[in-house]
Amino acid sequence: MRTFGASRCRVRASATVPACGRSETAAPPAPARARRDTSTSMPVFVMLPLDTVKLCADGEQQVPMLQRPKALEVAMKALRVAGVRGVMVDVWWGLVEARSRTYRWEAYAELFAMAERVGLTVQPVMSFHSCGNNVNDDYGVSLPKWVHEIGKDNPDIYFTDRKGHRNQECVSLGCDSVPVLEGRTPVEVYRDFIEAFCCKFAPLLGSIITEITVGLGPAGELRYPSYPEGDRRWKFPGIGEFQCYDKYMLSALEKAACDIDKPEWGKGGPHDAGHYNSRPWETSFFHPINGRFASEYGDFFLNFYSTQLVAHADRVLTAASKVVSRFDKQCQCSTFEGSDAMLYSFGDEKCVVDLGVKLAGVHWWYNSRSHAAELTTGYYNTREHEGYAAVMEVLKKHNAILNFTCVEMNDCEHPPEGQCSPEGLFRQIASIAREKGVEIGGENALPRYDAAAWSRIEANAFHDLPGSPSVAACDQLGCTNCTRLAKLTWLRMEDSMFDSPNWDAFTRSIGRFSGYSAAM
């Protein structure tokens, strides 16, 4: 566990930010908005520990509390001095909305006030997923208990594999528009959560809170839970399995098949796609020679599977965009349990907050013909079929920023039998993003401080890629869609980060990345 000093739960007074986010006392001045030196700079953010907020006992009940606040503030001050622009933090659905329609924001209010004192901005992640199922997860948070109670009677609200295993990491996108959650659809629940968040912290939007990342799947990423590592069903570099066997996904598949007069194609996913730890050549569907993924049936199924994922992103981002857009000039709060409806006006000053989306860097089997791991994840990307343009178009539609993982990885670091290419994947993503006008933020997949990782990040951030305009040309033209990274988010703050060799490497690198001049 990440400690930052003594780890303990503590009972504290109520939060300093009451309804609609208005502070009881005069807040210190917000940190000056920085102006990027666009020829050389890349703002750096740091992801806070997974357990920054966790449930602790307060009398007879469990409530979300900020952990180790004194040590955390010292660490955040060190980040600020080092040149870090801000922090990213998971806002756990399972902690905040433990009871349906009741939201406990106190711990996050305390955290945001701390960031404001220190002079850091915050990028909250609306984490509509559980924690503990992915690589380096050292903390557990489930979905809200009331959701699990619903799941006991209707397990089809969870993604399901061919053998009927229910993945409880997040709610299946197949029921996005079905009122399965106490009369609300999942999209409505996500919308209400984001609206409650924006109401609570409206005065901070655009100043302290600069971007809201919208969770769209497992680990907060836009993908299917095709490679579940937490329960040991999957191990790198397995191809994963399709997650289309809950009744809602099967119903949509059946309809899609009937629409093209192929009802036999709507009974389920491919029967010959192997298992979680198969290799492509061990399956008929992904086989590099005459694999059925390239057949008429394969194209139908993979189009269906990926289109469902993109449509999910569009539905949730549409709901989130409508909520956030209402906070441009005023905050109109809905009435939530335990709080009064309130209205705050902000005059002519426009509060602007960006939306962000996380995309998984599924780089294993990228150099194979089928890109099998990407296909089971929901990205219809093969040697013959470009798979990310549709995702970029949705992000552009909602002016969302793409947060892409694995920017620290080099091809040569991976075993040849996995046919990995994180470098090739990034080049493809960057090229399509530039073409569609989408900004990219980079994240490291693993906490690393070695020179090879930092060199790869720097190459991805600043070096021109084939076919891209030069950095200088982009700056002169005022382009915002160059292939270099718009920002870097470092995963993640932990004790080892502050060990002398690691801290020296971190500060030395971000000194090159985060040059900026204060706004006049």
Side-chain angles (χ1 to χ4, degrees):
M1 291 295 291
R2 299 164 174 108
T3 58
F4 306 113
S7 176
R8 62 188 179 89
C9 292
R10 63 191 184 91
V11 179
R12 34 162 191 74
S14 60
T16 57
V17 182
C20 239
R22 183 65 67 184
S23 178
E24 294 282 11
T25 58
R33 298 297 294 274
R35 182 176 62 248
R36 291 178 57 199
D37 175 358
T38 54
S39 63
T40 61
S41 74
M42 178 181 65
V44 176
F45 299 82
V46 172
M47 188 76 177
L48 294 182
L50 293 167
D51 63 347
T52 297
V53 173
K54 65 186 296 186
L55 285 179
C56 291
D58 183 1
E60 296 182 354
Q61 61 178 338
Q62 295 280 316
V63 298
M65 291 187 179
L66 185 64
Q67 298 302 290
R68 305 166 295 277
K70 292 182 179 179
L72 180 60
E73 186 160 0
V74 169
M76 290 172 65
K77 287 179 179 178
L79 295 180
R80 182 69 178 92
V81 171
V84 170
R85 182 75 60 85
V87 293
M88 180 179 278
V89 64
D90 288 291
V91 179
W92 296 110
W93 181 30
L95 299 186
V96 173
E97 196 182 358
R99 293 173 55 202
S100 178
R101 301 176 190 264
T102 300
Y103 307 92
R104 299 297 302 263
W105 302 114
E106 295 91 340
Y108 291 100
E110 188 177 355
L111 173 64
F112 299 163
M114 180 185 296
E116 188 172 20
R117 287 195 304 273
V118 170
L120 294 174
T121 61
V122 180
Q123 297 182 351
V125 182
M126 304 291 102
S127 295
F128 300 118
H129 62 282
S130 67
C131 178
N133 302 285
N134 296 286
V135 62
N136 285 337
D137 281 3
D138 61 358
Y139 171 58
V141 179
S142 69
L143 299 184
K145 289 184 179 180
W146 60 272
V147 173
H148 284 309
E149 289 300 316
I150 293 170
K152 290 178 182 178
D153 295 327
N154 180 14
D156 284 288
I157 67 171
Y158 303 121
F159 285 110
T160 308
D161 65 17
R162 186 175 184 83
K163 291 184 177 180
H165 187 280
R166 310 288 188 176
N167 189 305
Q168 298 184 15
E169 190 173 353
C170 56
V171 175
S172 170
L173 61 83
C175 58
D176 268 356
S177 302
V178 184
V180 294
L181 300 180
E182 296 187 353
R184 292 185 291 169
T185 70
V187 172
E188 289 171 339
V189 170
Y190 307 149
R191 178 205 63 197
D192 292 348
F193 187 93
I194 296 171
E195 183 174 42
F197 177 88
C198 289
C199 264
K200 182 68 178 180
F201 300 111
L204 307 182
L205 299 179
S207 55
I208 302 303
I209 299 172
T210 56
E211 177 184 323
I212 296 175
T213 298
V214 181
L216 294 173
E221 297 168 335
L222 176 61
R223 64 174 176 90
Y224 292 94
S226 59
Y227 49 97
E229 187 176 39
D231 59 8
R232 302 180 185 273
R233 278 182 293 151
W234 174 88
K235 184 178 179 181
F236 178 85
I239 60 175
E241 290 191 20
F242 292 111
Q243 307 291 310
C244 59
Y245 292 91
D246 64 78
K247 69 181 181 183
Y248 304 104
M249 288 290 290
L250 287 174
S251 176
L253 177 59
E254 181 180 19
K255 181 181 184 304
C258 289
D259 286 346
I260 61 169
D261 296 323
K262 297 281 188 179
E264 65 275 16
W265 288 357
K267 305 302 182 184
H271 67 276
D272 53 357
H275 55 77
Y276 286 106
N277 294 309
S278 295
R279 303 317 192 233
W281 59 83
E282 296 173 341
T283 77
S284 296
F285 190 77
F286 298 116
H287 199 280
I289 303 174
N290 298 322
R292 288 207 311 140
F293 75 91
S295 67
E296 183 183 3
Y297 163 74
D299 181 63
F300 158 77
F301 176 77
L302 294 172
N303 262 311
F304 163 80
Y305 193 66
S306 60
T307 298
Q308 292 291 307
L309 188 68
V310 173
H312 167 67
D314 189 34
R315 285 190 291 267
V316 179
L317 288 176
T318 295
S321 297
K322 288 180 179 178
V323 168
V324 172
S325 67
R326 283 190 244 133
F327 291 82
D328 280 351
K329 291 187 178 179
Q330 65 178 13
C331 166
Q332 177 65 62
C333 294
S334 302
T335 300
F336 300 108
E337 184 176 336
S339 65
D340 297 324
M342 304 182 75
L343 174 66
Y344 284 98
S345 295
F346 297 95
D348 295 329
E349 183 177 354
K350 191 175 184 180
C351 269
V352 177
V353 62
D354 295 319
L355 292 180
V357 168
K358 292 192 176 189
L359 195 69
V362 184
H363 58 82
W364 53 105
W365 305 114
Y366 184 85
N367 282 336
S368 69
R369 184 186 171 207
S370 66
H371 294 223
E374 289 170 87
L375 298 185
T376 59
T377 302
Y379 310 143
Y380 186 5
N381 193 53
T382 72
R383 283 184 186 171
E384 294 87 16
H385 190 280
E386 200 293 311
Y388 295 99
V391 174
M392 299 300 175
E393 288 169 0
V394 168
L395 299 189
K396 181 61 177 178
K397 172 183 175 182
H398 298 287
N399 294 314
I401 298 170
L402 170 64
N403 294 301
F404 184 67
T405 60
C406 79
V407 296
E408 87 286 8
M409 291 185 175
N410 294 282
D411 287 0
C412 63
E413 297 165 344
H414 295 85
E417 58 268 23
Q419 299 185 40
C420 305
S421 184
E423 295 177 39
L425 177 59
F426 175 80
R427 283 193 294 269
Q428 180 183 356
I429 293 290
S431 177
I432 299 299
R434 182 184 68 250
E435 178 185 323
K436 301 298 182 180
V438 175
E439 278 196 347
I440 305 179
E443 294 184 3
N444 53 306
L446 301 172
R448 293 175 54 183
Y449 300 91
D450 57 281
W454 286 114
S455 294
R456 172 49 49 194
I457 293 173
E458 186 170 3
N460 286 337
F462 298 112
H463 294 186
D464 296 338
L465 300 177
S468 68
S470 70
V471 171
C474 275
D475 290 332
Q476 187 174 9
L477 295 171
C479 299
T480 59
N481 59 339
C482 294
T483 53
R484 58 186 175 165
L485 301 178
K487 63 175 181 175
L488 171 69
T489 302
W490 181 258
L491 273 63
R492 92 181 44 244
M493 181 193 286
E494 55 186 353
D495 283 347
S496 64
M497 180 183 189
F498 298 98
D499 292 342
S500 181
N502 293 341
W503 183 248
D504 290 345
F506 178 79
T507 55
R508 187 166 55 247
S509 296
I510 68 170
R512 296 198 303 271
F513 295 165
S514 61
Y516 65 93
S517 56
M520 299 300 292

